[in-house]
Amino acid sequence: MKDHLRIGILGLGVVGSGTIQVLAAQRAKIKEQTGMNVSIVKALIRPAEDKKQFADEHGIELTSELADIVEDATLDVVIELIGKVHPAKEFIAQALKNGKHVVTANKDLIAQHGVELVEIAKENNVSLFYEASVAGGIPILRTLTTNYLADEITNIRGIVNGTTNYMLTKMLENGTSYEEALAQAQALGFAESDPTNDVDGIDAAYKMVILTQFAYGMDVALSDLEIQGIRGLSDKDVLQAQKFGYEIKLIGESVKADETISVSVGPALVPKTHPLASIKNEFNGVFINSTGIDQSMFYGPGAGSLPTATSVISDVAAIAKNISLGIDAPQFNEYRRPLQLTAPEANYAKYYFAVTTSADFTADALTALLANEKVQINELAQEIGETNRFMVITESINRLQLAAVEAAIAKQGTLERRMRVMEA
Amino acid sequence: MKDHLRIGILGLGVVGSGTIQVLAAQRAKIKEQTGMNVSIVKALIRPAEDKKQFADEHGIELTSELADIVEDATLDVVIELIGKVHPAKEFIAQALKNGKHVVTANKDLIAQHGVELVEIAKENNVSLFYEASVAGGIPILRTLTTNYLADEITNIRGIVNGTTNYMLTKMLENGTSYEEALAQAQALGFAESDPTNDVDGIDAAYKMVILTQFAYGMDVALSDLEIQGIRGLSDKDVLQAQKFGYEIKLIGESVKADETISVSVGPALVPKTHPLASIKNEFNGVFINSTGIDQSMFYGPGAGSLPTATSVISDVAAIAKNISLGIDAPQFNEYRRPLQLTAPEANYAKYYFAVTTSADFTADALTALLANEKVQINELAQEIGETNRFMVITESINRLQLAAVEAAIAKQGTLERRMRVMEA
């Protein structure tokens, strides 16, 4: 009976080193509960990297040749932590084809090519696990496959980008401007020097693609999502949202209506009393509505070396357990449904609009403008100056009404910001 | 290959009926993902109960003879939902001995006799699962066995009693008195007519016993816990805690220090900024500190028919999956360590004291009294009247110092309330 799991790791950066540390700390517990000795024995690094001392300490052989890992018949598992889509995709595909189980934290890759890679894993009778790809340390994906197997999710909403949540927390609590908040996030190492993927909602969108696969079994492409970021968010909107009783959060939302879904990412007004409003700073949270459990939320670190590494090693432990139980390699998520997107006329939400107009355009005129599109305003605030700035919350409207309202507003002023408003 | 799982259910009360409804709704999804047809075919009810119409609708045979279920060789699984310790314990033992997997939501039973029942399950090569026994709909137990397998928990704290959390929320937000809050909880059906187990912390203690087994592998008896309830909690303390920056919550806490643990239940001061402070009304939350993930929290309904039933059916689905994978019956929690309790002198916490004294006893005298025991006061408030009421928060002290402080206070006045103070 096999009792030793030998692992090769691709990448010895921050998460890679963390993974080796977490395994060293938890090896005895994993052995005890899975019956398997688990060791990381080889690591792929770039030729120029100097990792000799660290590798020697942990008994790891270094290489900068991929073949030394993916073609090593003594290795059972490959952990991929080099990130980005290429060449990670090709590396993982080779490992799977060579009969190795793969664990990855690579959300960009899984969101875009996960379905294809899972097929390769199946053909080769190995597992592809990626718990760390969504919300770093939060154990959400495996939980969706077990405890929600007997439930029907109707809405899964997440604060799944730590950088932007940190920025929004600072803007709300300290009145920091968008630019300052971004600079702080960069100084703390949360945001990359090019923060595009964070502030434009792309990173959150990748995670929502993966969450949607687990929640509804549906494979949605990035182009099926409506994606807005928080770039240039005005502190005026942060302040006004607060006066209306809301906090602004970058929310990824995947909603089911009948058998269709709609997935979006964007800054949204979250009622202050909603549990998602309590997710502060760089933390992540995933909030689920379902017919059985009703309301649940999972909170934790969205990134960071040790939390991510712990999720990676929990995947490794799951593989160890499967092997020791003699189970044929299961896939991470066996839930599959054909994708059906919600039609625009069935896709309802409340919206917040910030509109600037000339000084002679009145609140009554704005109300009439929306009424003309059969849209009622629930909340209205006005800032008077050389131009007027109106901030309104509408009743729940569908996407056709939304388009009509936006077109009507564009004729009378400038639509500075439009955000969804979450129900309490 | 076996492809049909036949179930007998003990009890058709609120959760029992909910369980049958949840299975009816999720049967197709469970079949798809586990390969097994799952049916509840028999139910044990009391002779006087009239459940004929409901049973007929769901194709369930009724009986009031236990033997009809536990001795029926065609049944694979027994779901126990009659509650209380006896005769549920004997019923479950018989089912296990007859080779049936058992799923239960019975926290009193599992906390007190779980270890013994797990042994019987092992001997008979069947599984005993009880996800619903802690925090109803929150998927916490299975998550502890999977995603925390590669982590080391250092502190697990829970708001695990919905009744008292509802009462404390009303006392805090509406200034409701303890008596009124209890009456409201009873009117809403959260609290039993005899609310002892809720308000005296017993129910929370059972759940902490189970959480401790999963978090640390240690089997702690109820008598090893320090248990305080919220009975008669004064709104003066609720108000003063708030002024100090805290909310009072009934917190179950299981802390590891070196290789020892201490487990307690009691009203505690939770910093307003801590995620546990955001758990309102009848909801539950479990907050975990660990060396890998660092901080995580699980939020959801602690009780209720459908949430509890969903957890029960998720256990049934896990059994179905194991059978279809041909796995020998695994136990729910394979983590075992010898119990080692933290010594009093190593058991540290900050404390809140409410003390009444005669009117001539001053704040300086109280400070001197504690200083005499080498305990410093971090916060002090005083209410002057015919008697003085002091409300203080100490620095972190150990249990020997705590005993000394309490003895010293008793000589000068009355200790009305003592509560732990959580660190931010």
Side-chain angles (χ1 to χ4, degrees):
Chain A
M1 169 106 187
K2 187 172 179 60
D3 67 352
H4 200 154
L5 201 69
R6 289 167 54 90
I7 304 176
I9 190 168
L10 311 181
L12 269 194
V14 182
V15 177
S17 312
T19 299
I20 284 159
Q21 284 164 9
V22 168
L23 178 59
Q26 305 304 330
R27 183 176 286 119
K29 191 176 168 195
I30 294 170
K31 157 94 183 169
E32 199 181 277
Q33 290 194 52
T34 68
M36 302 282 275
N37 271 304
V38 177
S39 322
I40 298 178
V41 293
K42 272 192 192 177
L44 179 76
I45 56 171
R46 284 187 301 270
E49 277 182 291
D50 180 13
K51 297 282 178 185
K52 192 167 179 314
Q53 195 189 334
F54 180 81
D56 285 350
E57 275 168 23
H58 291 275
I60 295 169
E61 190 186 328
L62 293 174
T63 177
S64 38
E65 290 296 328
L66 179 69
D68 285 341
I69 290 182
V70 297
E71 291 176 11
D72 180 342
T74 72
L75 297 182
D76 310 288
V77 176
V78 170
I79 297 174
E80 182 276 309
L81 295 173
I82 51 178
K84 304 273 167 65
V85 172
H86 303 287
K89 185 188 169 196
E90 291 71 25
F91 286 8
I92 289 178
Q94 281 189 55
L96 294 170
K97 284 175 185 163
N98 288 338
K100 303 190 187 320
H101 304 281
V102 172
V103 174
T104 176
N106 193 327
K107 63 190 165 297
D108 306 36
L109 176 59
I110 292 296
Q112 294 177 78
H113 302 285
V115 173
E116 183 187 340
L117 290 172
V118 166
E119 279 310 308
I120 299 176
K122 270 189 195 166
E123 283 161 18
N124 293 280
N125 199 31
V126 286
S127 295
L128 172 62
F129 288 169
Y130 41 93
E131 178 68 69
S133 67
V134 175
I138 304 180
I140 182 66
L141 296 183
R142 186 163 282 109
T143 304
L144 287 170
T145 69
T146 53
N147 286 66
Y148 288 86
L149 198 161
D151 202 351
E152 185 189 340
I153 295 173
T154 53
N155 196 345
I156 181 163
R157 279 183 285 222
I159 293 173
V160 287
N161 179 273
T163 304
T164 47
N165 201 53
Y166 176 85
M167 291 171 59
L168 291 168
T169 303
K170 294 303 154 199
M171 290 178 74
L172 178 77
E173 292 183 355
N174 308 342
T176 311
S177 71
Y178 172 86
E179 289 74 19
E180 254 179 276
L182 178 57
Q184 285 180 18
Q186 285 171 322
L188 285 163
F190 297 144
E192 310 280 332
S193 53
D194 175 5
T196 303
N197 272 11
D198 289 326
V199 301
D200 288 345
I202 312 296
D203 176 82
Y206 286 141
K207 290 161 181 169
M208 292 312 298
V209 166
I210 299 172
L211 284 174
T212 299
Q213 287 170 344
F214 279 70
Y216 306 117
M218 294 189 191
D219 181 30
V220 73
L222 215 58
S223 55
D224 296 322
L225 273 66
E226 186 200 30
I227 305 172
Q228 292 191 338
I230 64 161
R231 192 182 286 270
L233 183 69
S234 164
D235 38 15
K236 289 181 185 172
D237 294 320
V238 173
L239 201 70
Q240 186 55 52
Q242 203 175 7
K243 286 184 190 156
F244 285 150
Y246 298 87
E247 294 189 14
I248 297 178
K249 296 284 189 186
L250 183 68
I251 298 287
E253 181 170 42
S254 187
V255 203
K256 193 173 182 183
D258 297 320
E259 293 307 308
T260 72
I261 61 164
S262 62
V263 190
S264 60
V265 169
L269 276 67
V270 178
K272 283 181 190 172
T273 51
H274 192 283
L276 280 172
S278 71
I279 313 289
K280 308 282 185 196
N281 297 314
E282 73 276 19
F283 280 90
N284 280 198
V286 177
F287 190 90
I288 299 176
N289 290 98
S290 58
T291 58
I293 295 176
D294 190 23
Q295 291 184 22
S296 50
M297 188 173 77
F298 301 82
Y299 165 94
S305 156
L306 290 183
T308 307
T310 302
S311 287
V312 167
I313 294 296
S314 78
D315 279 349
V316 169
I319 291 171
K321 197 155 191 174
N322 289 336
I323 291 176
S324 88
L325 288 168
I327 303 177
D328 253 15
Q331 290 313 313
F332 203 20
N333 171 29
E334 321 251 15
Y335 192 22
R336 286 282 172 273
R337 287 278 184 282
L339 173 63
Q340 294 197 63
L341 294 171
T342 306
E345 63 272 23
N347 191 345
Y348 277 85
K350 289 183 176 184
Y351 291 94
Y352 169 98
F353 293 99
V355 183
T356 48
T357 64
S358 60
D360 59 352
F361 192 79
T362 64
D364 283 351
L366 184 65
T367 305
L369 189 82
L370 269 71
N372 198 36
E373 305 299 335
K374 304 207 168 34
V375 172
Q376 205 181 304
I377 291 176
N378 286 350
E379 304 273 1
L380 186 144
Q382 181 175 1
E383 217 184 83
I384 299 177
E386 287 183 21
T387 58
N388 278 338
R389 190 179 206 270
F390 295 100
M391 290 147 287
V392 303
I393 293 178
T394 68
E395 63 180 335
S396 186
I397 59 177
N398 70 30
R399 304 303 302 264
L400 302 182
Q401 292 173 291
L402 173 65
V405 166
E406 291 194 339
I409 287 174
K411 288 186 195 146
Q412 300 291 340
T414 307
L415 178 58
E416 287 194 8
R417 182 67 63 174
R418 179 249 294 169
M419 296 183 271
R420 283 183 182 233
V421 179
M422 260 176 61
E423 311 270 344
Chain B
M1 168 111 185
K2 186 171 180 64
D3 68 352
H4 199 153
L5 200 70
R6 288 166 55 88
I7 302 175
I9 190 167
L10 310 181
L12 269 194
V14 182
V15 177
S17 313
T19 299
I20 284 159
Q21 284 163 9
V22 168
L23 178 58
Q26 305 304 331
R27 183 175 286 120
K29 191 176 168 197
I30 293 170
K31 157 94 183 170
E32 200 181 275
Q33 290 193 52
T34 68
M36 303 281 277
N37 271 305
V38 177
S39 323
I40 297 178
V41 293
K42 271 192 192 175
L44 179 75
I45 57 170
R46 284 188 301 271
E49 278 182 292
D50 180 13
K51 298 283 179 182
K52 190 167 180 314
Q53 195 189 336
F54 180 82
D56 285 350
E57 275 167 24
H58 293 274
I60 294 169
E61 191 187 326
L62 294 175
T63 176
S64 37
E65 290 295 327
L66 179 68
D68 286 341
I69 290 183
V70 296
E71 292 176 12
D72 181 341
T74 72
L75 297 182
D76 309 287
V77 177
V78 170
I79 296 173
E80 183 276 310
L81 295 173
I82 51 179
K84 304 271 167 67
V85 172
H86 303 287
K89 185 188 169 198
E90 291 71 26
F91 287 8
I92 288 178
Q94 281 189 56
L96 295 170
K97 284 175 184 164
N98 287 339
K100 303 189 188 321
H101 304 282
V102 171
V103 174
T104 176
N106 192 328
K107 63 189 165 299
D108 307 33
L109 176 59
I110 293 295
Q112 294 178 79
H113 303 284
V115 173
E116 182 187 340
L117 290 171
V118 166
E119 278 311 308
I120 301 176
K122 272 189 194 167
E123 282 162 20
N124 293 280
N125 199 30
V126 287
S127 296
L128 172 62
F129 288 171
Y130 41 92
E131 178 68 68
S133 67
V134 175
I138 305 180
I140 182 66
L141 296 183
R142 186 163 282 107
T143 304
L144 287 170
T145 69
T146 53
N147 287 66
Y148 288 86
L149 198 162
D151 202 352
E152 185 189 340
I153 295 174
T154 54
N155 196 344
I156 181 163
R157 279 183 285 223
I159 293 174
V160 288
N161 180 274
T163 303
T164 47
N165 201 52
Y166 176 85
M167 290 171 60
L168 291 168
T169 304
K170 294 302 153 198
M171 289 178 74
L172 178 78
E173 292 182 355
N174 308 342
T176 311
S177 71
Y178 173 87
E179 289 72 20
E180 254 179 277
L182 178 57
Q184 285 180 18
Q186 285 172 322
L188 286 162
F190 297 143
E192 309 280 330
S193 53
D194 175 5
T196 303
N197 273 11
D198 290 326
V199 301
D200 288 344
I202 312 297
D203 175 83
Y206 286 141
K207 290 159 180 168
M208 291 313 297
V209 166
I210 300 171
L211 285 174
T212 298
Q213 287 170 346
F214 279 69
Y216 306 118
M218 294 188 192
D219 180 30
V220 74
L222 215 58
S223 55
D224 296 322
L225 272 68
E226 186 199 32
I227 305 171
Q228 291 190 338
I230 64 162
R231 190 183 288 269
L233 183 69
S234 164
D235 37 14
K236 288 181 185 173
D237 294 320
V238 173
L239 203 69
Q240 186 56 50
Q242 203 174 8
K243 286 184 189 156
F244 285 149
Y246 299 87
E247 294 189 12
I248 296 177
K249 296 284 191 187
L250 183 69
I251 298 287
E253 182 171 40
S254 186
V255 203
K256 193 174 183 181
D258 297 317
E259 293 306 308
T260 71
I261 61 165
S262 62
V263 190
S264 59
V265 168
L269 276 67
V270 178
K272 283 180 189 171
T273 51
H274 192 283
L276 280 172
S278 70
I279 312 290
K280 307 283 185 196
N281 297 315
E282 74 277 19
F283 281 90
N284 280 198
V286 176
F287 190 90
I288 299 176
N289 289 98
S290 59
T291 58
I293 296 176
D294 190 23
Q295 292 185 21
S296 51
M297 189 173 78
F298 301 82
Y299 165 94
S305 157
L306 289 184
T308 307
T310 303
S311 287
V312 166
I313 294 297
S314 78
D315 278 350
V316 169
I319 291 171
K321 198 156 192 174
N322 289 336
I323 293 176
S324 87
L325 289 168
I327 303 178
D328 252 15
Q331 290 314 312
F332 203 20
N333 171 29
E334 319 252 12
Y335 191 23
R336 284 281 172 272
R337 287 279 183 282
L339 173 63
Q340 294 197 64
L341 294 172
T342 306
E345 63 272 22
N347 191 344
Y348 276 85
K350 289 183 176 184
Y351 290 93
Y352 169 97
F353 292 100
V355 183
T356 48
T357 66
S358 60
D360 57 353
F361 192 78
T362 64
D364 284 350
L366 184 66
T367 305
L369 188 82
L370 268 70
N372 198 36
E373 305 298 336
K374 303 205 168 34
V375 172
Q376 205 181 304
I377 291 176
N378 285 350
E379 304 272 3
L380 186 145
Q382 180 176 2
E383 217 185 84
I384 300 177
E386 289 183 20
T387 57
N388 278 339
R389 189 179 206 270
F390 295 101
M391 290 146 289
V392 303
I393 292 178
T394 68
E395 62 179 335
S396 186
I397 59 176
N398 70 30
R399 302 304 302 264
L400 301 183
Q401 291 173 291
L402 173 65
V405 166
E406 291 194 341
I409 287 174
K411 287 185 196 147
Q412 300 291 340
T414 306
L415 177 59
E416 286 194 7
R417 181 69 61 175
R418 179 248 295 170
M419 297 183 273
R420 285 184 181 232
V421 179
M422 262 176 60
E423 311 269 345

